[in-house]
Amino acid sequence: AGGVDTTAVPLQFALFELGRNPEVQERVRQQVKASWAQAGGDPQKALQGAPLLKGTIKEILRLYPVGTTVQRYPIKDIVLQNYHIPAGTMVQACLYPMGRSAEVFEEPQRFDPGRWDREEGQRGEGTSFRYLAFGFGARQCVG
């Protein structure tokens, strides 16, 4: 069931958003075609040369996350935004509202796969956990 949910549904939303944004669709198509031609038939090289395709997948999962939340139980007391959370308390990140929040993403309702290319080199406050579609750390989905 997990393979179906995590593949078919995002692909349907990708077709939906690319259909609504033909200019993005054409840019992704051209980049994939050029990358494939330069890769000489090597799929790994072709994917590395198509960052807009990777950004499209991240953007789809930002807007339409397969899992709606990520939960963790801290092993020691922590403070998040001046709020004390005792060890063993479930902490939950809600991915759907986070992906559509203006506090997290500029123009959050806009489908913009290029936003991920711009953020690749950025580090610092607010950039570390913007993409949590498959969790993070040791418990990240291996798929």
Side-chain angles (χ1 to χ4, degrees):
V4 172
D5 295 344
T6 59
T7 304
V9 174
L11 284 175
Q12 289 174 342
F13 279 119
L15 293 172
F16 171 70
E17 284 295 347
L18 289 171
R20 288 187 346 152
N21 297 276
E23 69 289 344
V24 174
Q25 180 183 41
E26 186 56 28
R27 285 185 12 239
V28 171
R29 182 177 180 274
Q30 292 301 323
Q31 191 178 78
V32 167
K33 282 178 61 177
S35 181
W36 182 255
Q38 290 177 350
D42 182 345
Q44 186 69 21
K45 284 183 182 176
L47 287 173
Q48 289 173 352
L52 196 54
L53 178 61
K54 183 178 178 180
T56 297
I57 294 166
K58 284 185 171 187
E59 190 73 345
I60 291 300
L61 292 171
R62 175 185 73 83
L63 290 168
Y64 310 101
V66 174
T68 56
T69 63
V70 175
Q71 303 87 20
R72 294 291 182 267
Y73 294 91
I75 58 173
K76 60 182 181 178
D77 286 12
I78 59 173
V79 176
L80 294 174
Q81 295 185 347
N82 296 322
Y83 185 78
H84 176 257
I85 300 169
T89 303
M90 183 172 71
V91 177
Q92 181 168 269
C94 298
L95 303 180
Y96 186 90
M98 185 175 86
R100 293 167 181 266
S101 170
E103 293 179 21
V104 181
F105 292 97
E106 188 176 312
E107 295 184 75
Q109 299 302 323
R110 190 169 138 244
F111 177 69
D112 178 16
R115 83 172 71 234
W116 298 99
D117 193 37
R118 292 188 298 272
E119 290 185 4
E120 284 298 318
Q122 293 181 12
R123 293 291 176 257
E125 190 174 333
T127 62
S128 299
F129 290 100
R130 288 177 179 229
Y131 181 73
L132 294 172
F134 294 101
F136 59 92
R139 290 173 187 84
Q140 182 174 1
C141 176
V142 296

